[in-house]
Amino acid sequence: MYIENYEPQRDQPGQQKSRLYWQCRRGMLELDSLLQDFFKQQFDALTAQQRASFELLLQSPDDLLLEYLMGRVVPMDAGMSDVVAKIRQSVTV
Amino acid sequence: MAIAKRKFDSLVIGAGGGGLRAALQLSRAEATVAVVSKVFPTRSHTVAAQGGMNAALANVLPDNWHWHMYDTVKGSDYLGDQDAIEYMCRAASHCVIELEHSGVPFSRLDNGKIYQRPFGGQSQNFGGDQAARTCAAADRTGHAILHALYQQNIRAKTHFFDEYFAVDLLKDDEGYVLGALVLDIETGEPLIIEAKTTLLATGGVGQLFRTNTNARINTGDGMAMALRAGIPVQDMEFFQFHPTGIAGKGMLITEGVRGEGGYLINKDGERFMERYAPHARDLASRDIVSRAIAIEVREGRGCGPRGDHVLLKLDHLGADVIHKRLPGIRETAITFVHVDPVDTPIPVFPTAHYTMGGIPTNRFGQVVAPLGQLVEEPVPGLYAAGECACVSVHGANRLGGNSLLDIIVFGRAAGNHIIGYLQENHYHRPLHADSVDRGMQRLARWDQQGDGESVDNLRMELQREMENHCGVFRTAEVLQDGVVKIKAIEQRLQHARIKDHSKIFNTARIEAMELENMVDLALATVISAQARQESRGAHSRVDFPERDDVHWMKHTLFFKEGYKLDYKPVRTKPLSVDSFPPQKRVY
């Protein structure tokens, strides 16, 4: 009944959106709030290039990501910097 | 259905500081270790701990572990177990030095020793002058610890299952815990992880409350798994609240704002703390300020269109003071509520911060429960550490700087005990299919099609009811109402449905299972709080304002089956020193 040492397949097609949504789950409420709310409101409207920049941004460690999103540090990458600006502008009260 | 299976000596569920410290101890002892984490390990909530880690190194001011122990017992409002507290305070210095050797860049003094900062609740000589006991890596201590431990685990060849969700513990008929059924979030495939020991290190459950400071991953998954396995949770009524979180969002606004002269006002512009604490006013203790805010809102003096918060006013401090001394707070307010405190007050409400309760353990990290004749009998093969555990070093309230210490000391202690267990238990015990089937039923429940309540709506309702009925304002009537409302949500959850039944990265299914976990823990919290007719530490009852050591100096145990409550005595006997008897807690 059981398969020993099973390794599941990776990188199946069409999973980018749900994978990135899960990667918006971080270790700090501040990041969760900014990333998840932005994702829900605006991800579908992003261009392919912006999505790529967003994915790159999500690879940052949490402490650096917080610096970016609180506006204390500006990413060197122009695409990432634009996405950070969009995230900061997307916050609703 | 064929289910994949992996076998390890030891399974660790949760990859925060507690889980990673235990895993490191085990991997270094050449045990095969699996760490399961629903998010990438360095995105665990330990990363958010900024303050630091207490240890009586005496690098800045005179100190010793016994004074630290006194402060911790007193801070716990005498509900902490004094054997575990002594163990933790004695081990603290060693653990800090171990972390330093593992690569944590602790901040330094000019003489090269580790810098230590003073924190509230720390004293020299058993309640005397302020102590300086908190070791920190700038304001990123949790981040530094988490990354160092992760890298050391990679080096030690710990096996990580990243983005796997733990569904349920696997048990045999004799009560041995034999691993867990987990779900690969990416593929939607279940996986059996068999292990001779299982450590739960899944963090707290701050998401029970609408306004909280916790990452959204903090849904109490390990505690709820223990409850479903017939193990009680302990002291869940003790939840630490911070008086000033951003209203409706939760982010912490530090006490430093009020320390600099900021103060709270209600909708009439009244500085209301003058009525509740005429001398200390806005600098009164956290529980007094939190309750005052809740009362203002309940009695219709809250601000905003829904009257659901008060305002923290800083503009009178002037732009220079705010720019110089409170820049982080200003950034937080501007980012999350579009308010610049230089000219506009910040909307605030008490925010849930830390779960003192959890899975009952002894100081070796073994999960203990009243299984037979004894009040504390180890559950064979099961361990817990960190915020999901209740060892209990924090008792009724936690001191700043003791949470990182707790996860490191008891993660390590659990690792050490597991090594001994593995030496005596060489083989995996047979796993029976019915144990797996129970977990699979939990997964299959969310495959049900058709109309039903929305998981998102139920979660929001749960958080709102918990905030209104089990927050900082607690009376018999409020709590009874809360029990009724949370039980109703539990019933409605049976009829909830998700619309997405796909397999790959089906986050709706994970969020539904997280809600199941939270509902069980909400019931544990509100029922435990309703029963405890006293005020102690973070549990403050308006109708029972005093601590009652005669009737209530005991730990609460909540069982899922029949919502049953039981109690067990506080361990007042330390390991080697005299006990600290209860005294009135005055700061």
Side-chain angles (χ1 to χ4, degrees), chain A residues 1-3 5-8 10 12 15 18 21-22 25 27 29 32 36 58 63 72 91-92, chain B residues 2-6 38 43 45 140 143 184 186 212 216 249 331 335 338 504-505 507 511 514:
Chain A
M1 173 179 182
Y2 300 123
I3 305 164
N5 296 322
Y6 170 81
E7 289 286 351
R10 298 282 166 183
Q12 300 187 39
Q15 65 181 7
S18 42
Y21 174 65
W22 195 250
R25 280 192 165 215
L29 174 66
D32 284 341
Q36 292 173 25
L58 292 179
D63 64 332
R72 294 191 281 258
V91 179
T92 52
Chain B
I3 306 172
K5 185 166 75 168
R6 299 285 298 266
K38 64 181 176 179
R43 296 174 192 166
H45 190 49
R140 298 174 183 185
H143 175 268
D184 181 349
E186 182 176 9
N212 73 78
R216 291 180 184 163
K249 298 209 172 188
E331 283 165 7
T335 302
H338 301 174
I504 295 172
F505 271 112
T507 53
E511 287 170 354
E514 287 175 336

Side-chain angles (χ1 to χ4, degrees), chain B residues 520-587:
Chain B
D520 282 346
L521 294 165
L523 281 165
T525 305
V526 69
I527 289 172
S528 301
Q530 182 195 28
R532 185 173 285 271
Q533 297 183 334
E534 66 159 352
S535 290
R536 181 185 298 269
H539 172 69
S540 185
R541 288 278 300 253
V542 176
D543 44 354
F544 297 97
E546 299 298 324
R547 195 177 78 198
D548 177 357
D549 292 326
V550 175
H551 300 100
W552 288 102
M553 201 168 127
K554 57 188 180 184
H555 294 297
T556 307
L557 297 173
F558 171 89
F559 296 80
K560 178 173 163 66
E561 190 176 350
Y563 315 119
K564 196 182 86 176
L565 288 178
D566 198 355
Y567 294 90
K568 68 177 185 182
V570 174
R571 297 171 75 92
T572 54
K573 191 170 164 26
L575 300 172
S576 69
V577 292
D578 290 340
S579 176
F580 291 110
Q583 292 176 352
K584 195 164 174 60
R585 201 170 56 130
V586 180
Y587 287 105

Side-chain angles (χ1 to χ4, degrees), chain B residues 26-43:
Chain B
L26 291 162
S27 286
R28 282 178 173 168
E30 300 189 349
T32 57
V33 185
V35 174
V36 166
S37 177
K38 64 181 176 179
V39 292
F40 190 76
T42 54
R43 296 174 192 166

Side-chain angles (χ1 to χ4, degrees), chain B residues 64-104:
Chain B
N64 73 51
W65 67 264
H66 201 187
W67 301 348
H68 182 190
M69 177 183 173
Y70 167 82
D71 291 338
T72 305
V73 172
K74 180 183 171 188
S76 81
D77 220 351
Y78 300 91
L79 195 74
D81 286 341
Q82 296 193 23
D83 57 343
I85 294 173
E86 178 180 340
Y87 178 80
M88 179 179 80
C89 297
R90 274 176 174 274
S93 296
H94 180 70
C95 285
V96 165
I97 291 164
E98 270 187 347
L99 284 174
E100 200 267 343
H101 290 176
S102 294
V104 176

Side-chain angles (χ1 to χ4, degrees), chain A residues 45-86:
Chain A
L46 295 181
T47 64
Q49 183 57 48
Q50 286 170 328
R51 287 184 187 194
S53 296
F54 184 63
E55 182 164 2
L56 192 62
L57 180 71
L58 292 179
Q59 304 314 306
S60 312
D62 279 11
D63 64 332
L64 182 58
L65 200 47
L66 188 70
E67 295 294 300
Y68 289 154
L69 295 179
M70 296 302 289
R72 294 191 281 258
V73 174
V74 178
M76 295 282 283
D77 181 272
M80 250 165 70
S81 180
D82 288 347
V83 169
V84 165
K86 282 180 88 68

Side-chain angles (χ1 to χ4, degrees), chain B residues 240-540:
Chain B
Q240 189 177 71
F241 286 82
H242 193 287
T244 52
I246 289 191
K249 298 209 172 188
M251 295 81 185
L252 204 69
I253 301 292
T254 164
E255 263 128 355
V257 173
R258 284 170 287 137
E260 291 292 343
Y263 59 82
L264 297 160
I265 54 173
N266 60 20
K267 75 169 182 185
D268 304 319
E270 183 202 6
R271 192 173 173 179
F272 60 85
M273 280 311 300
E274 290 176 347
R275 276 190 276 117
Y276 297 91
H279 297 293
R281 296 193 292 189
D282 297 84
L283 295 176
S285 64
R286 283 182 180 182
D287 59 317
I288 290 173
V289 180
S290 296
R291 204 163 49 251
I293 295 171
I295 291 171
E296 289 300 297
V297 168
R298 291 182 84 87
E299 294 183 353
R301 294 187 292 279
C303 306
R306 291 184 295 275
D308 59 359
H309 60 263
V310 297
L311 296 173
L312 178 57
K313 186 170 153 26
L314 287 81
D315 56 313
H316 57 284
L317 300 179
D320 282 352
V321 170
I322 294 171
H323 286 292
K324 230 179 262 173
R325 298 199 197 142
L326 303 166
I329 292 307
R330 180 168 175 259
E331 283 165 7
T332 301
I334 290 172
T335 302
F336 292 103
V337 276
H338 301 174
V339 153
D340 187 343
V342 166
D343 46 47
T344 312
I346 308 171
V348 294
F349 193 76
T351 183
H353 187 50
Y354 187 86
T355 317
M356 265 78 71
I359 305 158
T361 70
N362 59 23
R363 66 188 166 85
F364 306 108
Q366 291 177 289
V367 173
V368 290
L371 302 173
Q373 298 299 312
L374 299 173
V375 71
E376 290 188 330
E377 214 169 305
V379 178
L382 187 61
Y383 293 77
E387 194 172 341
C388 80
C390 184
V391 50
S392 135
V393 286
H394 309 304
N397 214 347
R398 178 184 65 82
L399 288 187
N402 269 357
S403 57
L404 284 177
L405 179 62
D406 171 15
I407 64 177
I408 297 301
V409 168
F410 291 105
R412 178 174 171 275
N416 282 335
H417 199 276
I418 290 170
I419 291 167
Y421 184 94
L422 293 175
Q423 284 165 352
E424 291 168 9
N425 295 270
H426 292 281
Y427 305 105
H428 288 86
R429 295 170 66 88
L431 179 64
H432 298 295
D434 57 346
S435 178
V436 178
D437 290 346
R438 279 192 289 274
M440 289 301 291
Q441 282 165 15
R442 186 169 180 234
L443 281 176
R445 176 260 176 274
W446 292 104
D447 289 335
Q448 291 173 11
Q449 310 270 346
D451 291 333
E453 293 225 40
S454 132
V455 167
D456 278 354
N457 289 346
L458 270 180
R459 182 178 55 249
M460 284 190 280
E461 201 169 324
L462 177 78
Q463 290 172 321
R464 198 170 52 244
E465 296 300 357
M466 283 298 286
E467 184 160 291
N468 290 341
H469 294 96
C470 201
V472 294
F473 186 86
R474 296 179 176 184
T475 67
E477 194 184 358
V478 167
L479 289 162
Q480 174 56 32
D481 204 12
V483 171
V484 171
K485 290 197 153 87
I486 305 297
K487 281 184 175 172
I489 290 174
E490 184 193 31
Q491 289 303 310
R492 287 163 55 197
L493 181 61
Q494 310 301 318
H495 309 291
R497 297 284 184 274
I498 54 174
K499 291 193 169 65
D500 180 1
H501 297 281
S502 65
K503 292 188 96 175
I504 295 172
F505 271 112
N506 185 338
T507 53
R509 183 202 296 246
I510 303 297
E511 287 170 354
M513 288 193 285
E514 287 175 336
L515 178 62
E516 287 177 328
N517 292 340
M518 286 164 58
V519 168
D520 282 346
L521 294 165
L523 281 165
T525 305
V526 69
I527 289 172
S528 301
Q530 182 195 28
R532 185 173 285 271
Q533 297 183 334
E534 66 159 352
S535 290
R536 181 185 298 269
H539 172 69
S540 185

